[in-house]
């Protein structure tokens, strides 16, 4: 992306970019701000920057932040902020925003789609028909129903609460695990992840990744979910111990999985490719044209309010970013 030449006469607000803007965003925001790629900026421009806009999941490290002494706002376009050094942001009193609400509806829809796809073996049945096996070998084996399943949700935030409502409409018994109970929630709170897995047929991960949650879904949790249990992950790949996930699926200790996120994207454990009890997608639960328009609205609103001195529209203070 070509950046606008710097000029003292140019009074457009300066926005630093962690990486180039998405083309749709660049077109919509053209002329409103002066964008400069962090990697291309000189020391004088770096010293001036008050806003760092982070498209996608570009890492924002302590070293990146140290180059920006005047920084006040780190504006993300993603749901999570695990790619941002929050400890450094917190120590400097920086505001950090995300675009989670813009993605929540689509993520919840997709999570439910994965639940249905895995339990009913939709992808495997599709492949069976396409290979001509229905005519040659008869009906594809029966798969289990969705309605009435016990569903455990990890993280009852914007996404998780919507997943809960959708699956409750299927007649599922919903419970959840988070750091503390949600007083307004009609669903059953379970204080430990292991106990949630023991009492669930389906475990849905819709929480953010933090240091404390890394690999929280380990072999013990997967074995507690059981040989008929299903793991759905629309959160972050690092929530799950992937080698143990492969092992549990291969050994029959876990019944199936629907995965949209992975620990080392775009790398996917190749052992999963041949498993017909697994549905895979490429980190697309959050992405639709509608959600991208919503993100653009959030980003535009936050930039406009920041530079006009008004309160941010979507705001997560650094003190709250471990929810």
């Amino acid at each position: 992306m070509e950046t606008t030449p710097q000029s003292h006469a140019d009074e457009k607000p300066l926005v630093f970019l962690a990486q180039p803007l998405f083309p749709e965003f660049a077109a919509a925001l053209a002329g409103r701000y002066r964008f400069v790629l962090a990697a291309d900026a000189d020391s004088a421009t770096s010293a001036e920057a008050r806003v760092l806009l982070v498209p996608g999941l570009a890492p924002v490290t302590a070293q990146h932040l140290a180059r920006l002494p005047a920084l006040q706002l780190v504006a993300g376009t993603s749901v999570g902020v695990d790619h941002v050094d929050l400890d450094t942001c917190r120590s400097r009193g920086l505001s950090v925003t995300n675009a989670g609400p813009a993605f929540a509806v689509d993520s919840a829809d997709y999570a439910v789609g994965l639940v249905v796809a895995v339990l009913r073996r939709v992808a495997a049945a599709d492949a069976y028909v396409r290979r001509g096996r229905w005519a040659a070998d008869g009906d594809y084996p029966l798969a289990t129903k969705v309605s009435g399943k016990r569903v455990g949700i990890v993280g009852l935030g914007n996404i998780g609460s919507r997943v809960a409502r959708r699956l409750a409409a299927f007649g599922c018994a919903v419970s959840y695990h988070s750091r503390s109970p949600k007083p307004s929630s009609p669903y059953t709170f379970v204080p430990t992840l292991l106990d949630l897995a023991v009492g669930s047929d389906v475990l849905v991960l819709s929480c953010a990744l933090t240091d404390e949650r890394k690999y929280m879904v380990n072999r013990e949790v997967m074995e507690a979910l059981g040989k008929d249990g299903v793991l759905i992950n629309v959160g972050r790949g690092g929530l799950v111990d992937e080698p143990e996930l492969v092992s549990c699926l291969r050994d029959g200790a876990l019944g199936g999985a629907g995965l949209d996120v992975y620990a080392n994207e775009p790398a996917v454990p190749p052992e999963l490719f041949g498993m017909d009890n697994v549905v895979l997608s490429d980190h697309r639960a959050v992405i639709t044209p509608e959600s991208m328009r919503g993100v653009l609205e959030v980003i535009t609103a936050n930039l406009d309010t920041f530079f006009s001195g008004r309160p941010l529209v979507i705001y997560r203070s650094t003190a709250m970013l471990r929810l």
Side-chain angles (χ1 to χ4, degrees), residues 8-159:
H8 293 295
D10 186 353
E11 296 183 355
K12 296 185 184 70
L14 170 65
V15 176
F16 246 41
L17 295 176
Q19 66 181 15
L21 275 176
F22 309 130
E24 309 93 309
F25 287 17
L29 297 173
R32 301 183 65 166
Y33 307 101
R34 176 163 56 102
F35 291 109
V36 176
L37 280 172
D40 298 339
D42 58 26
S43 58
T45 308
S46 299
E48 179 188 350
R50 298 168 59 208
V51 175
L52 177 64
L53 178 56
V54 188
L57 298 176
V60 178
T61 67
Q63 290 73 26
H64 294 134
L65 295 169
R67 295 182 56 210
L68 307 172
L71 191 67
Q72 296 175 279
L73 170 65
V74 178
T77 67
S78 60
V79 177
V81 288
D82 51 280
H83 54 300
V84 177
D85 186 327
L86 298 180
D87 290 334
T88 298
C89 290
R90 187 177 293 108
S91 69
R92 288 179 53 178
L94 305 181
S95 298
V96 180
T97 65
N98 63 1
F103 292 119
V105 169
D106 290 316
S107 297
D109 289 349
Y110 203 90
V112 173
L114 286 175
V115 172
V116 175
V118 176
L119 288 174
R120 297 300 304 270
R121 300 290 180 91
V122 173
D126 174 84
Y128 185 85
V129 173
R130 290 176 187 272
R131 291 195 300 265
R133 293 192 58 190
W134 187 15
D137 302 326
D139 293 343
Y140 184 77
L142 294 178
T144 189
K145 70 188 297 182
V146 177
S147 300
K149 288 292 188 289
R150 300 171 302 162
V151 177
I153 298 175
V154 184
L156 203 70
N158 280 322
I159 297 171

